[in-house]
């Protein structure tokens, strides 16, 4: 078998060598760009920790970071983790058929509430078609226990998070997107699974 590629490269070796020598000399003459120094790089804010969940002795962990440098302190990042945790629990309750309070309406957009109510309607129809009231009751009676929150502050008005939580012995994830409106964070997207 004949290696034509190797032949072409070896035949043009002198021309390639001359080409790279010209490029190298040309770039050396235009050295007006400063080189990047790693010690000039500023790390982006990242905060981690844990907080107690409800009246239990369980602690949920959080990891919230930012895509941009800002002057916000750790309190903002902890507040964002708590908001994500609260909204994930509320969304879980709505998707399991719990009534919607006025406090829930303040943190969720109307579109999110509509989708979560539809989700519960479909789930409850599935259980009633199978005559499985016990599983439906178990799904509704167990509390939501957040385990871990991982969030990213995308911009000063946009925050996204993933919350791992458990209902009984089953683990679920909630993907959340928030938008800052009039000084409060409103959830614009909830995806439970």
């Amino acid at each position: 078998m004949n290696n034509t590629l190797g032949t072409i490269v070896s035949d043009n070796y002198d021309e390639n060598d001359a080409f790279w020598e010209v490029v190298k000399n040309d770039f050396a003459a235009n050295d007006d760009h400063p080189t990047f120094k790693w010690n000039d790089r500023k790390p982006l804010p990242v905060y981690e920790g844990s907080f107690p969940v409800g009246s239990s002795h369980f602690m949920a962990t959080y990891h919230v970071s930012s895509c941009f440098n800002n002057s916000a302190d750790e309190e903002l990042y902890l507040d964002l983790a708590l908001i994500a945790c609260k909204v994930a629990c509320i969304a879980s309750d709505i998707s399991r058929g719990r009534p919607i309070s006025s406090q829930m309406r303040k943190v969720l957009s109307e579109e999110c509430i509509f989708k979560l109510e539809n989700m519960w309607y479909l789930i409850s129809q599935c259980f009633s078609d199978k005559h499985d009231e016990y599983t439906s009751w178990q799904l509704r009676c167990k509390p939501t226990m957040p385990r871990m929150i991982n969030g990213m502050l995308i911009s000063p008005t946009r925050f996204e998070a993933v919350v791992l939580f458990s209902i009984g012995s089953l683990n679920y994830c909630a993907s959340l997107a928030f938008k800052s409106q009039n000084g409060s964070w409103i959830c614009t997207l909830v995806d439970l699974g």
Side-chain angles (χ1 to χ4, degrees):
M1 187 164 125
N2 192 1
N3 184 356
T4 57
L5 182 63
T7 308
I8 292 171
V9 171
S10 64
D11 287 345
N12 295 332
Y13 183 75
D14 293 334
E15 292 174 18
N16 288 339
D17 198 30
F19 170 78
W20 288 113
E21 190 63 35
V22 169
V23 169
K24 182 175 156 188
N25 290 337
D26 189 37
F27 280 114
N30 295 328
D31 194 22
D32 56 348
H33 300 293
T35 58
F36 182 75
K37 296 179 181 153
W38 287 101
N39 57 358
D40 292 343
R41 185 172 170 235
K42 294 179 182 174
L44 296 174
V46 176
Y47 293 98
E48 297 177 329
S50 58
F51 55 85
V53 176
S55 60
S56 69
H57 297 292
F58 184 76
M59 300 289 280
T61 60
Y62 70 93
H63 173 97
V64 181
S65 56
S66 178
C67 286
F68 59 96
N69 277 318
N70 59 29
S71 60
D73 59 353
E74 186 174 1
E75 186 177 345
L76 170 72
Y77 291 90
L78 175 59
D79 287 345
L80 290 172
L82 290 170
I83 290 167
C85 179
K86 175 183 175 182
V87 170
C89 292
I90 289 171
S92 169
D93 287 346
I94 294 171
S95 70
R96 295 185 295 147
R98 303 266 172 98
I100 301 169
S101 67
S102 59
Q103 184 184 18
M104 292 176 178
R105 291 194 184 277
K106 289 180 183 176
V107 295
L108 289 167
S109 67
E110 287 298 319
E111 185 180 358
C112 287
I113 292 172
F114 177 73
K115 288 180 179 180
L116 291 167
E117 286 176 328
N118 280 345
M119 180 180 173
W120 172 247
Y121 175 76
L122 293 172
I123 291 171
S124 63
Q125 283 299 112
C126 177
F127 285 129
S128 65
D129 290 347
K130 293 179 181 178
H131 304 292
D132 192 358
E133 292 297 321
Y134 179 73
T135 306
S136 176
W137 173 79
Q138 273 196 322
L139 185 64
R140 292 180 78 174
C141 75
K142 304 225 182 211
T144 303
M145 293 292 293
R147 304 275 178 204
M148 182 179 68
I149 298 95
N150 192 352
M152 177 72 70
L153 188 60
I154 307 295
S155 74
T157 59
R158 186 122 180 102
F159 174 64
E160 295 181 4
V162 175
V163 178
L164 174 69
F165 61 92
S166 62
I167 300 172
S169 61
L170 299 175
N171 291 326
Y172 298 94
C173 277
S175 296
L176 309 165
F178 295 88
K179 186 177 181 182
S180 178
Q181 292 179 344
N182 302 326
S184 60
W185 291 94
I186 306 297
C187 184
T188 58
L189 172 76
V190 178
D191 185 18
L192 297 172

